[in-house]
Amino acid sequence: AFLRVEHIGIAIKSLEKSNDLFKKLFGKEHYKVEKVEREGVSTSFFQLGETKIELLEATTEESAISKFIDKKGEGVHHIAYEVDDIYAEMKRLENEGFILLSQEPKTGADNKLICFLHPKSTNGVLVELCQERKE
Ligand code: CMX
Protein backbone atom coordinates (compact mmCIF):
# COMPACT_ATOMS: atom_id res chain seq x y z
CA ALA A 1 0.00 0.00 0.00
CA PHE A 2 1.00 3.65 -0.52
CA LEU A 3 1.36 5.19 2.97
CA ARG A 4 2.30 8.87 2.53
CA VAL A 5 4.34 11.37 0.53
CA GLU A 6 7.79 10.68 1.97
CA HIS A 7 9.53 13.54 0.14
CA ILE A 8 9.37 15.86 -2.84
CA GLY A 9 12.57 16.19 -4.88
CA ILE A 10 13.46 19.58 -6.38
CA ALA A 11 16.22 19.90 -8.98
CA ILE A 12 18.39 22.96 -8.36
CA LYS A 13 21.67 24.25 -9.82
CA SER A 14 23.49 25.13 -6.62
CA LEU A 15 22.94 23.34 -3.32
CA GLU A 16 24.73 26.12 -1.49
CA LYS A 17 22.50 28.88 -2.91
CA SER A 18 19.30 26.85 -2.59
CA ASN A 19 20.06 25.79 0.99
CA ASP A 20 20.09 29.52 1.84
CA LEU A 21 16.94 30.18 -0.18
CA PHE A 22 14.94 27.33 1.35
CA LYS A 23 16.22 28.24 4.82
CA LYS A 24 14.61 31.66 4.31
CA LEU A 25 11.44 30.07 2.91
CA PHE A 26 10.91 27.53 5.68
CA GLY A 27 12.50 29.52 8.51
CA LYS A 28 14.74 26.58 9.38
CA GLU A 29 17.91 24.84 8.29
CA HIS A 30 18.27 21.61 6.34
CA TYR A 31 19.05 18.75 8.71
CA LYS A 32 21.49 16.91 6.50
CA VAL A 33 23.46 16.76 3.26
CA GLU A 34 24.02 13.44 1.53
CA LYS A 35 25.90 12.50 -1.63
CA VAL A 36 24.39 9.60 -3.58
CA GLU A 37 27.29 8.69 -5.90
CA ARG A 38 25.32 6.04 -7.76
CA GLU A 39 22.77 8.65 -8.88
CA GLY A 40 25.30 11.44 -9.49
CA VAL A 41 23.63 13.77 -7.00
CA SER A 42 24.35 15.77 -3.91
CA THR A 43 21.24 16.29 -1.79
CA SER A 44 20.02 18.20 1.23
CA PHE A 45 16.89 17.53 3.26
CA PHE A 46 14.43 19.76 5.10
CA GLN A 47 11.90 18.15 7.46
CA LEU A 48 8.33 19.50 7.30
CA GLY A 49 6.06 17.43 9.53
CA GLU A 50 5.95 13.88 8.16
CA THR A 51 7.25 14.98 4.74
CA LYS A 52 10.68 16.08 3.58
CA ILE A 53 11.86 18.36 0.82
CA GLU A 54 14.95 17.04 -0.97
CA LEU A 55 17.10 19.47 -2.94
CA LEU A 56 19.05 17.77 -5.72
CA GLU A 57 22.22 19.12 -7.30
CA ALA A 58 23.99 17.19 -10.08
CA THR A 59 27.55 16.04 -9.39
CA THR A 60 28.22 14.67 -12.90
CA GLU A 61 27.17 15.67 -16.42
CA GLU A 62 25.53 12.27 -16.95
CA SER A 63 23.40 12.75 -13.85
CA ALA A 64 19.60 12.60 -14.32
CA ILE A 65 19.56 16.03 -12.64
CA SER A 66 21.94 17.60 -15.21
CA LYS A 67 19.75 16.34 -18.06
CA PHE A 68 16.57 17.49 -16.32
CA ILE A 69 17.88 21.03 -15.71
CA ASP A 70 19.22 21.32 -19.28
CA LYS A 71 15.80 20.37 -20.66
CA LYS A 72 13.34 21.88 -18.21
CA GLY A 73 15.29 24.16 -15.89
CA GLU A 74 15.12 24.06 -12.09
CA GLY A 75 11.91 22.71 -10.57
CA VAL A 76 10.00 19.79 -9.07
CA HIS A 77 11.82 16.63 -10.17
CA HIS A 78 9.96 13.78 -8.45
CA ILE A 79 7.47 12.80 -5.76
CA ALA A 80 8.48 9.94 -3.47
CA TYR A 81 5.84 7.80 -1.81
CA GLU A 82 6.52 5.55 1.15
CA VAL A 83 5.14 2.06 0.61
CA ASP A 84 4.89 -0.82 3.07
CA ASP A 85 6.04 -3.54 0.65
CA ILE A 86 8.11 -2.26 -2.28
CA TYR A 87 8.39 -5.70 -3.93
CA ALA A 88 4.61 -6.18 -3.89
CA GLU A 89 3.96 -2.63 -5.15
CA MET A 90 6.50 -2.98 -7.99
CA LYS A 91 4.81 -6.18 -9.11
CA ARG A 92 1.33 -4.68 -8.84
CA LEU A 93 2.29 -1.49 -10.72
CA GLU A 94 4.07 -3.39 -13.49
CA ASN A 95 0.93 -5.51 -13.93
CA GLU A 96 -1.08 -2.25 -14.14
CA GLY A 97 1.13 -1.14 -17.07
CA PHE A 98 3.41 1.36 -15.34
CA ILE A 99 7.04 1.36 -16.51
CA LEU A 100 9.50 0.49 -13.74
CA LEU A 101 12.97 2.00 -14.19
CA SER A 102 14.59 -0.94 -12.40
CA GLN A 103 13.47 -4.52 -11.99
CA GLU A 104 14.92 -4.68 -8.46
CA PRO A 105 14.81 -1.96 -5.80
CA LYS A 106 17.98 0.15 -5.59
CA THR A 107 19.60 1.79 -2.58
CA GLY A 108 18.79 5.50 -2.31
CA ALA A 109 19.39 8.27 0.22
CA ASP A 110 19.01 7.17 3.87
CA ASN A 111 19.89 3.62 2.74
CA LYS A 112 16.24 3.15 1.71
CA LEU A 113 15.02 0.71 -0.92
CA ILE A 114 13.80 2.74 -3.89
CA CYS A 115 12.32 2.26 -7.35
CA PHE A 116 11.38 4.92 -9.94
CA LEU A 117 8.49 4.78 -12.44
CA HIS A 118 9.02 6.36 -15.87
CA PRO A 119 7.29 9.78 -16.05
CA LYS A 120 5.85 8.85 -19.47
CA SER A 121 3.72 6.25 -17.66
CA THR A 122 2.67 8.59 -14.79
CA ASN A 123 1.31 11.73 -16.50
CA GLY A 124 4.71 13.40 -16.71
CA VAL A 125 5.58 13.24 -12.99
CA LEU A 126 8.53 11.04 -12.02
CA VAL A 127 7.37 8.76 -9.19
CA GLU A 128 9.68 7.18 -6.62
CA LEU A 129 8.62 4.34 -4.34
CA CYS A 130 10.59 4.04 -1.13
CA GLN A 131 10.67 1.78 1.85
CA GLU A 132 12.77 1.59 5.01
CA ARG A 133 15.11 -1.36 4.86
CA LYS A 134 13.86 -3.93 7.35
CA GLU A 135 16.98 -5.24 9.14
N1 CMX B 1 10.02 14.43 -14.49
C1 CMX B 1 9.25 14.51 -15.59
N2 CMX B 1 9.69 14.26 -16.85
C2 CMX B 1 10.99 13.92 -16.98
C3 CMX B 1 11.86 13.82 -15.88
C4 CMX B 1 11.32 14.10 -14.59
N3 CMX B 1 12.07 14.04 -13.50
N4 CMX B 1 13.08 13.48 -16.32
C5 CMX B 1 12.99 13.36 -17.65
N5 CMX B 1 11.74 13.61 -18.05
C6 CMX B 1 11.21 13.57 -19.41
C7 CMX B 1 12.17 14.10 -20.44
O1 CMX B 1 12.07 15.50 -20.50
C8 CMX B 1 11.66 13.42 -21.69
O2 CMX B 1 10.54 14.11 -22.17
P1 CMX B 1 10.28 14.29 -23.74
O3 CMX B 1 10.30 12.91 -24.32
O4 CMX B 1 8.95 14.95 -23.79
O5 CMX B 1 11.41 15.15 -24.23
C9 CMX B 1 11.14 12.09 -21.18
O6 CMX B 1 11.03 12.23 -19.77
C10 CMX B 1 12.00 10.88 -21.46
O7 CMX B 1 13.28 11.21 -21.35
P2 CMX B 1 14.40 10.20 -21.87
O8 CMX B 1 15.27 10.92 -22.81
O9 CMX B 1 13.83 8.89 -22.23
O10 CMX B 1 15.15 9.84 -20.58
P3 CMX B 1 16.13 10.69 -19.75
O11 CMX B 1 17.50 10.29 -20.11
O12 CMX B 1 15.77 12.13 -19.70
O13 CMX B 1 15.80 10.03 -18.34
C11 CMX B 1 14.45 9.19 -16.59
C12 CMX B 1 14.56 10.20 -17.72
C13 CMX B 1 13.25 9.56 -15.75
C14 CMX B 1 14.30 7.81 -17.19
C15 CMX B 1 15.77 9.27 -15.75
O14 CMX B 1 15.93 10.59 -15.27
C16 CMX B 1 15.79 8.31 -14.59
O15 CMX B 1 16.10 7.14 -14.72
N6 CMX B 1 15.42 8.80 -13.38
C17 CMX B 1 15.43 7.98 -12.16
C18 CMX B 1 16.66 8.22 -11.33
C19 CMX B 1 16.77 9.63 -10.86
O16 CMX B 1 15.99 10.51 -11.20
N7 CMX B 1 17.79 9.88 -10.02
C20 CMX B 1 18.04 11.17 -9.44
C21 CMX B 1 17.41 11.29 -8.07
C22 CMX B 1 18.11 10.41 -7.07
C23 CMX B 1 17.68 10.63 -5.64
O17 CMX B 1 16.56 11.10 -5.36
O18 CMX B 1 18.50 10.29 -4.75
Side-chain angles (χ1 to χ4, degrees), residues 65-91:
I65 300 304
S66 306
K67 288 189 194 163
F68 181 87
I69 288 180
D70 285 350
K71 249 187 175 170
K72 298 177 189 268
E74 295 180 304
V76 174
H77 180 260
H78 65 266
I79 298 182
Y81 300 91
E82 186 185 4
V83 297
D84 57 359
D85 184 344
I86 196 165
Y87 293 94
E89 290 302 325
M90 286 169 68
K91 202 168 167 189

Side-chain angles (χ1 to χ4, degrees), residues 39-55:
E39 299 286 340
V41 295
S42 193
T43 68
S44 68
F45 285 88
F46 292 82
Q47 186 81 47
L48 299 176
E50 67 165 13
T51 300
K52 299 166 186 121
I53 299 297
E54 176 185 29
L55 303 183

Side-chain angles (χ1 to χ4, degrees), residues 55-66:
L55 303 183
L56 297 145
E57 178 194 72
T59 54
T60 67
E61 281 183 15
E62 303 77 55
S63 166
I65 300 304
S66 306

Side-chain angles (χ1 to χ4, degrees), residues 1-3 9 23 39 53 62 66 69 76 80 82 85 88 93 105 107-108 110 116-117 122 128:
F2 275 53
L3 302 178
K23 178 187 168 188
E39 299 286 340
I53 299 297
E62 303 77 55
S66 306
I69 288 180
V76 174
E82 186 185 4
D85 184 344
L93 295 170
T107 300
D110 280 339
F116 286 92
L117 306 183
T122 50
E128 177 182 344

